[in-house]
Tab-separated table of all heavy atoms in Angstrom:
chain	number	residue	atom	x	y	z
A	5	HIS	N	-10.301	-10.621	-10.085
A	5	HIS	CA	-9.229	-11.517	-9.535
A	5	HIS	C	-9.642	-11.938	-8.199
A	5	HIS	O	-8.990	-12.884	-7.570
A	5	HIS	CB	-7.951	-10.849	-9.508
A	5	HIS	CG	-7.432	-10.404	-10.886
A	5	HIS	ND1	-6.812	-11.339	-11.748
A	5	HIS	CD2	-7.445	-9.203	-11.540
A	5	HIS	CE1	-6.504	-10.742	-12.848
A	5	HIS	NE2	-6.878	-9.421	-12.781
A	6	GLY	N	-10.461	-11.253	-7.392
A	6	GLY	CA	-10.817	-11.553	-5.994
A	6	GLY	C	-9.552	-11.058	-5.098
A	6	GLY	O	-8.660	-10.509	-5.540
A	7	TRP	N	-9.859	-11.192	-3.841
A	7	TRP	CA	-8.774	-10.714	-2.914
A	7	TRP	C	-7.757	-11.801	-2.706
A	7	TRP	O	-8.116	-12.946	-2.836
A	7	TRP	CB	-9.369	-10.436	-1.475
A	7	TRP	CG	-10.201	-9.180	-1.430
A	7	TRP	CD1	-11.558	-9.062	-1.415
A	7	TRP	CD2	-9.621	-7.870	-1.311
A	7	TRP	NE1	-11.932	-7.660	-1.471
A	7	TRP	CE2	-10.729	-7.011	-1.373
A	7	TRP	CE3	-8.365	-7.412	-1.281
A	7	TRP	CZ2	-10.564	-5.566	-1.324
A	7	TRP	CZ3	-8.229	-5.954	-1.283
A	7	TRP	CH2	-9.252	-5.129	-1.210
A	8	TYR	N	-6.562	-11.466	-2.582
A	8	TYR	CA	-5.525	-12.407	-2.265
A	8	TYR	C	-5.793	-13.262	-1.011
A	8	TYR	O	-6.175	-12.645	0.079
A	8	TYR	CB	-4.117	-11.732	-2.090
A	8	TYR	CG	-3.079	-12.672	-1.408
A	8	TYR	CD1	-2.470	-13.627	-2.117
A	8	TYR	CD2	-2.805	-12.490	-0.026
A	8	TYR	CE1	-1.326	-14.339	-1.551
A	8	TYR	CE2	-1.831	-13.245	0.517
A	8	TYR	CZ	-1.198	-14.198	-0.200
A	8	TYR	OH	-0.201	-14.982	0.416
A	9	CYS	N	-5.598	-14.453	-1.025
A	9	CYS	CA	-5.662	-15.355	0.108
A	9	CYS	C	-4.461	-16.383	0.038
A	9	CYS	O	-4.304	-16.949	-0.921
A	9	CYS	CB	-6.947	-16.076	0.097
A	9	CYS	SG	-8.375	-15.204	0.310
A	10	ALA	N	-3.809	-16.511	1.197
A	10	ALA	CA	-2.655	-17.523	1.296
A	10	ALA	C	-3.261	-18.841	0.971
A	10	ALA	O	-4.431	-19.065	1.156
A	10	ALA	CB	-1.997	-17.370	2.615
A	11	ALA	N	-2.312	-19.756	0.673
A	11	ALA	CA	-2.690	-21.137	0.394
A	11	ALA	C	-3.422	-21.773	1.544
A	11	ALA	O	-4.435	-22.486	1.331
A	11	ALA	CB	-1.416	-21.975	0.077
A	12	ASN	N	-3.114	-21.436	2.732
A	12	ASN	CA	-3.857	-22.000	3.913
A	12	ASN	C	-5.033	-21.272	4.400
A	12	ASN	O	-5.738	-21.574	5.357
A	12	ASN	CB	-2.859	-22.168	5.091
A	12	ASN	CG	-2.312	-20.839	5.628
A	12	ASN	OD1	-2.479	-19.901	4.935
A	12	ASN	ND2	-1.845	-20.904	6.847
A	13	ARG	N	-5.453	-20.248	3.551
A	13	ARG	CA	-6.528	-19.359	3.986
A	13	ARG	C	-7.563	-19.134	2.746
A	13	ARG	O	-8.328	-18.213	2.867
A	13	ARG	CB	-6.052	-18.001	4.417
A	13	ARG	CG	-5.143	-18.015	5.631
A	13	ARG	CD	-5.980	-17.936	6.848
A	13	ARG	NE	-5.084	-17.765	7.962
A	13	ARG	CZ	-5.442	-18.161	9.203
A	13	ARG	NH1	-6.643	-18.637	9.379
A	13	ARG	NH2	-4.661	-18.038	10.151
A	14	GLY	N	-7.522	-19.980	1.834
A	14	GLY	CA	-8.413	-19.858	0.706
A	14	GLY	C	-7.732	-20.041	-0.687
A	14	GLY	O	-8.446	-20.165	-1.660
A	15	ASN	N	-6.440	-19.946	-0.714
A	15	ASN	CA	-5.702	-20.227	-1.852
A	15	ASN	C	-6.002	-19.462	-3.088
A	15	ASN	O	-6.313	-19.967	-4.186
A	15	ASN	CB	-5.715	-21.752	-2.229
A	15	ASN	CG	-4.607	-22.174	-3.066
A	15	ASN	OD1	-3.492	-21.630	-3.031
A	15	ASN	ND2	-4.822	-23.212	-3.831
A	16	ASN	N	-6.012	-18.066	-3.023
A	16	ASN	CA	-6.211	-17.191	-4.197
A	16	ASN	C	-4.826	-16.417	-4.275
A	16	ASN	O	-4.814	-15.342	-3.944
A	16	ASN	CB	-7.319	-16.243	-4.021
A	16	ASN	CG	-7.587	-15.487	-5.293
A	16	ASN	OD1	-6.889	-15.743	-6.296
A	16	ASN	ND2	-8.356	-14.581	-5.265
A	17	LEU	N	-3.846	-17.076	-4.711
A	17	LEU	CA	-2.542	-16.493	-4.860
A	17	LEU	C	-2.415	-15.447	-5.993
A	17	LEU	O	-1.487	-14.614	-5.946
A	17	LEU	CB	-1.417	-17.523	-5.014
A	17	LEU	CG	-1.373	-18.564	-3.922
A	17	LEU	CD1	-0.399	-19.651	-4.247
A	17	LEU	CD2	-1.303	-18.043	-2.531
A	18	ASN	N	-3.361	-15.387	-6.769
A	18	ASN	CA	-3.424	-14.400	-7.926
A	18	ASN	C	-4.348	-13.229	-7.640
A	18	ASN	O	-4.664	-12.492	-8.637
A	18	ASN	CB	-3.770	-15.093	-9.332
A	18	ASN	CG	-2.799	-16.062	-9.616
A	18	ASN	OD1	-1.571	-15.903	-9.625
A	18	ASN	ND2	-3.198	-17.257	-9.989
A	19	GLY	N	-4.815	-13.136	-6.452
A	19	GLY	CA	-5.787	-12.051	-6.078
A	19	GLY	C	-5.146	-10.588	-5.795
A	19	GLY	O	-3.928	-10.471	-6.014
Side-chain angles (χ1 to χ4, degrees):
H5 299 280
W7 286 103
Y8 164 79
C9 296
N12 64 342
R13 299 275 185 201
N15 200 28
N16 185 10
L17 304 179
N18 297 314

